[in-house]
Amino acid sequence: MEKEFMLERGELRIPVKVTESDFEIRRVVLGVHGIGGSAIDAIQTSLAEEMEFFSSAVYRFDFPAHGESPLDDSFFTLKNCQEVLMSVAKHAKESYPEVEDLCIFATGFGAYVTLTCLEDMMDLPGKLRLVIQTPSVRMHETLLAIKKISKATLRAMGKIRFNAERPFDVTYEFYKELEENVALMTYPIPMLILMGEQDSVIRMEDIQSFARINDQSKLVIIPGTTHRFLEEGAWDMVLDLTRDWFEYEQVLLSDWS
């Protein structure tokens, strides 16, 4: 069963989709999309379809200036994205107070926003589990790498256009927010980190350093896979690994254990 609603928090209006399992709900899952993505992109849709069969209520939502968000580019700031994520997380916990597990699947920019919110997330009741795919722990550098632009050029231009499904502008002020909030820190929660072996956007050494300082993390590097995990079989592997981590807090596939 799926329901849709608009969550309002001050000036923020957040379109939310919740997919509920027909079975007893044992976990709440938040799907957090990447930059240029949406609640209905292929990643988030397949996550909801997969987890629906495993006793989950799956929340998907849009960041400002993404997907079905009624908010324009001026609302696309790190602070607002953090407020959106925390508002959805709190709503989910209030809606399912008897459910202990809050599980988060976040990709790229969404993973970065999630990491910058974890200190507040840990104050929510229950147990927190995290799967982060291609996490941009240095999102300001990732932004420049995606657009193939230098910091000096972005500063001179003032803003750049992202030609995603819903095009939007990213400002130099947004870049500065990211630069001041590197997510290469220690977080005391179980997390599975998924990385493509041939990712040319995010530096492998950053991810390996991040995994080393987080002793409750498990890093899985998937051979032959690039940043967007579009290679045959790669996304099925991601879903299998995610399901097992949320269910057992383990990597059960023999190739990765």
Side-chain angles (χ1 to χ4, degrees):
M1 180 180 72
E2 184 168 295
K3 54 187 177 183
E4 301 181 11
F5 57 92
M6 190 71 70
L7 185 60
E8 298 190 13
R9 292 292 186 271
E11 290 187 295
L12 297 178
R13 300 179 64 216
I14 311 160
V16 179
K17 302 180 188 298
V18 181
T19 305
E20 283 187 331
S21 173
D22 292 331
F23 307 105
E24 179 185 3
I25 303 298
R26 293 191 291 108
R27 71 180 59 81
V28 174
V29 178
L30 304 188
V32 190
H33 68 75
I35 195 165
S38 75
I40 59 171
D41 64 25
I43 291 175
Q44 299 301 326
T45 300
S46 58
L47 173 73
E49 291 172 350
E50 178 77 8
M51 296 308 302
E52 181 182 5
F53 291 102
F54 291 91
S55 302
S56 305
V58 184
Y59 273 67
R60 295 172 287 153
F61 59 93
D62 290 316
F63 284 130
H66 286 67
E68 298 175 356
S69 172
L71 304 176
D72 62 28
D73 301 6
S74 65
F75 285 88
F76 186 55
T77 66
L78 175 57
K79 181 179 179 181
N80 281 343
C81 289
Q82 291 168 328
E83 288 288 340
V84 165
L85 175 57
M86 288 304 303
S87 295
V88 173
K90 290 174 182 176
H91 185 279
K93 293 300 292 183
E94 291 166 0
S95 299
Y96 300 89
E98 73 287 354
V99 177
E100 181 180 7
D101 288 353
L102 176 62
C103 301
I104 303 176
F105 177 91
T107 183
F109 173 71
Y112 165 81
V113 174
T114 302
L115 291 174
T116 64
C117 287
L118 279 188
E119 185 174 349
D120 291 331
M121 286 274 188
M122 288 185 289
D123 289 335
L124 297 177
K127 184 175 179 60
L128 186 62
R129 296 183 186 178
L130 180 61
V131 175
I132 45 177
Q133 178 192 353
T134 59
S136 303
V137 292
R138 300 181 187 274
M139 187 63 210
H140 63 294
E141 295 180 357
T142 303
L143 179 67
L144 298 180
I146 291 172
K147 296 303 295 180
K148 298 180 180 178
I149 193 173
S150 70
K151 176 181 177 179
T153 300
L154 177 56
R155 182 173 59 242
M157 294 176 64
K159 62 183 179 182
I160 51 176
R161 191 72 168 165
F162 258 80
N163 293 313
E165 183 174 341
R166 175 180 170 180
F168 60 98
D169 286 333
V170 169
T171 65
Y172 180 69
E173 287 72 23
F174 177 71
Y175 169 87
K176 292 296 292 181
E177 272 193 291
L178 304 181
E179 189 177 39
E180 294 167 3
N181 289 273
V182 172
L184 190 59
M185 298 171 61
T186 302
Y187 305 95
I189 65 164
M191 66 177 77
L192 175 62
I193 307 165
L194 304 178
M195 184 73 176
E197 180 188 36
Q198 298 178 12
D199 193 318
S200 60
V201 176
I202 298 173
R203 297 189 305 187
M204 183 66 71
E205 55 265 35
D206 284 344
I207 302 305
Q208 291 170 331
S209 295
F210 180 82
R212 280 195 297 270
I213 65 176
N214 285 280
D215 58 9
Q216 295 189 57
S217 71
K218 172 73 174 180
L219 172 60
V220 173
I221 300 172
I222 301 180
T225 302
T226 53
H227 181 67
R228 300 175 77 76
F229 282 64
L230 297 177
E231 292 72 21
E232 184 176 358
W235 185 243
D236 289 336
M237 183 72 71
V238 168
L239 289 176
D240 287 344
L241 290 162
T242 298
R243 184 187 62 243
D244 290 345
W245 190 260
F246 288 164
E247 183 75 23
Y248 306 109
E249 205 175 297
Q250 295 182 39
V251 174
L252 299 182
L253 295 176
S254 60
D255 289 347
W256 308 113
S257 58

